[in-house]
Amino acid sequence: MQLYTVRELLTEDTVGTLKRIADIGFTQVEPFAFLTFGDALREGLAEAGLSAPTTHQGFIGGDLDEVFGAAKELGVETVIDPFVAPERWQTAADVAQIAEQLNAAAEVAARHGVRVGYHNHAHELESRIEGVTALEFFAGKLAPEVVLEVDTYWVAVGGVDPVALLPTLGDRVVALHIKDGPGTTETKDQVAVGQGSLPIEQIIAAAPDALRVIELDDSRGDRFQAVADSFAFLTAKGLA
């Protein structure tokens, strides 16, 4: 699960929250802004018996060696930059520049034994470059070793069918954000997986080898309970 879902609890009690997540049945989590949690995250993962194969951490334009070195120490395999502002996704030149930054970062990451990726929101799908979505155009400019984590909910918010999109991105998609709701920009409308309108089973079938990461950006209900309900739904369907 993406730890941003329970960000308040994680900040108040990192170790205890990670243990609660493990008690649900999770064995893997995806930290966010992991550098800000320091030793508490490392200790919590160890005590809860959890691993973190992926993490969200902004690194474009930052200290790459610091980020990737710390990720390696934490056991992270893939560091994912979670956001590049919408105004940078409007022209071919700007999108190509973002890809160049990811490609350059990948070379630094490789020296630390990790890889890099990018996570989308809606604006990379709403913008179109040379007849395709900006995300697809971007993917075509990436070095082979750079990967994608596709947030399938934000793809839908951006007006694109995630089931149709995923095959166009191919094996570059190594992880999916699985979330549910009405597919609108109002994050509080998000609900547990299986309780919204997204075709969850078809989405997973479109990228069957990708890591499935449960997340809620927000919700009107208890987010921790929604995570537990999401885990139960995916497990019952044989999707987790």
Side-chain angles (χ1 to χ4, degrees):
M1 66 164 288
Q2 164 56 248
L3 294 179
Y4 182 74
T5 306
V6 292
R7 51 197 174 275
E8 300 90 351
L9 294 173
L10 194 73
T11 301
E12 294 168 6
D13 181 6
T14 303
V15 176
T17 300
L18 289 170
K19 287 181 177 179
R20 285 183 64 191
I21 291 168
D23 287 343
I24 292 174
F26 287 96
T27 59
Q28 298 176 316
V29 293
E30 183 174 81
F32 68 99
F34 79 99
L35 292 177
T36 65
F37 287 91
D39 292 338
L41 180 59
R42 180 181 294 102
E43 293 166 5
L45 291 172
E47 290 192 32
L50 295 167
S51 63
T54 57
T55 187
H56 278 201
Q57 177 69 50
F59 59 79
I60 295 174
D63 186 332
L64 300 180
D65 284 305
E66 177 190 15
V67 172
F68 302 141
K72 182 65 174 180
E73 290 180 9
L74 195 63
V76 169
E77 299 167 4
T78 307
V79 182
I80 299 164
D81 196 297
F83 183 79
V84 172
E87 57 267 23
R88 295 194 62 197
W89 293 89
Q90 304 308 310
T91 69
D94 282 346
V95 175
Q97 184 182 55
I98 300 168
E100 289 171 7
Q101 290 178 297
L102 266 292
N103 294 343
E107 296 181 7
V108 179
R111 298 202 292 266
H112 293 276
V114 299
R115 65 182 177 181
V116 301
Y118 183 72
H119 162 279
N120 66 281
H121 287 81
H123 55 266
E124 300 92 340
L125 287 307
E126 292 168 334
S127 174
R128 299 190 71 83
I129 307 292
E130 296 183 6
V132 297
T133 67
L135 185 65
E136 292 169 281
F137 181 82
F138 170 69
K141 300 293 184 181
L142 294 174
E145 61 270 23
V146 180
V147 299
L148 294 174
E149 176 176 62
V150 176
D151 190 310
T152 56
Y153 192 81
W154 286 113
V155 168
V157 174
V160 175
D161 177 5
V163 177
L165 175 72
L166 287 169
T168 73
L169 301 173
D171 294 340
R172 195 181 292 280
V173 180
V174 300
L176 302 174
H177 269 194
I178 301 296
K179 58 180 74 165
D180 213 343
T184 67
T185 58
E186 176 51 73
T187 57
K188 283 189 175 296
D189 287 341
Q190 292 176 21
V191 296
V193 175
Q195 296 178 17
S197 61
L198 264 68
I200 301 299
E201 293 178 69
Q202 294 96 314
I203 287 170
I204 290 173
D209 297 326
L211 184 69
R212 296 146 204 180
V213 184
I214 293 169
E215 183 191 32
L216 292 93
D217 296 294
D218 206 343
S219 183
R220 299 189 192 282
D222 181 271
R223 278 181 259 127
F224 201 98
Q225 184 59 50
V227 166
D229 292 344
S230 299
F231 183 88
F233 172 84
L234 291 172
T235 302
K237 292 286 188 179
L239 301 173

